[in-house]
Amino acid sequence: MRPRLANAALLTAVAAMVAACQTSAPTGPNRAALPTMERVALGANACWFKSGDPAFAAYKLAPELNSFSGRPRILLVHKGSPESRPLLVVQAEGSPSRLQAFGPMMSEPVAGRITTDVNRWSAGSKACS
């Protein structure tokens, strides 16, 4: 082999080895509507209900993740009457998902906390506030 060809071949081999050792950029959570709402439902269940949070003690979580409309959602209803009109609806649509939260609870002092928690969980965090 000629020296120039040997150097070129060596450079190509080294470049291939370096490229193979590099990791791809870390990927974030799946941003589609269903995975986003699954994260929100798990966070709400753990942080608002299973933790015994007094701000949510009068309510019950009603997840509706299997949506044929393409808008998976969770509902908060009165604990004693789950068939009543929801007090909070959090839903997502599209990919990347667009979140919406609405209902009477979004006019109460807890609305800021709901927004902060939902945004944190939808981004992939499992932390409670």
Side-chain angles (χ1 to χ4, degrees), residues 44-57 79 113:
N45 190 44
C47 297
W48 293 348
F49 296 100
K50 287 190 176 179
S51 70
D53 189 318
F56 297 93
K79 194 180 255 183
R113 177 161 167 224

Side-chain angles (χ1 to χ4, degrees), residues 42-51 53 113 116-117 120-121 125-129:
L42 290 171
N45 190 44
C47 297
W48 293 348
F49 296 100
K50 287 190 176 179
S51 70
D53 189 318
R113 177 161 167 224
T116 302
D117 287 348
R120 183 178 53 255
W121 299 325
S125 175
K126 296 179 182 176
C128 298
S129 54

Side-chain angles (χ1 to χ4, degrees), residues 5-126:
L5 288 176
N7 286 342
L10 181 61
L11 265 165
T12 303
V14 168
M17 289 185 336
V18 168
C21 292
Q22 294 180 353
T23 59
S24 61
T27 59
N30 187 334
R31 300 282 183 202
L34 180 58
T36 297
M37 285 310 302
E38 287 172 340
R39 288 189 300 275
V40 171
L42 290 171
N45 190 44
C47 297
W48 293 348
F49 296 100
K50 287 190 176 179
S51 70
D53 189 318
F56 297 93
Y59 310 108
K60 180 179 177 180
L61 180 66
E64 294 182 350
L65 300 176
N66 294 330
S67 168
F68 295 107
S69 68
R71 286 187 216 108
R73 63 188 189 167
I74 61 168
L75 311 174
L76 265 64
V77 296
H78 281 289
K79 194 180 255 183
S81 58
E83 72 286 345
S84 65
R85 174 173 264 171
L87 300 168
L88 174 69
V89 177
V90 180
Q91 67 183 20
E93 182 176 15
S95 183
S97 62
R98 292 172 306 283
L99 286 167
Q100 294 179 318
F102 53 91
M105 288 184 78
M106 294 307 289
S107 298
E108 295 179 11
V110 74
R113 177 161 167 224
I114 291 169
T115 301
T116 302
D117 287 348
V118 167
N119 286 334
R120 183 178 53 255
W121 299 325
S122 69
S125 175
K126 296 179 182 176

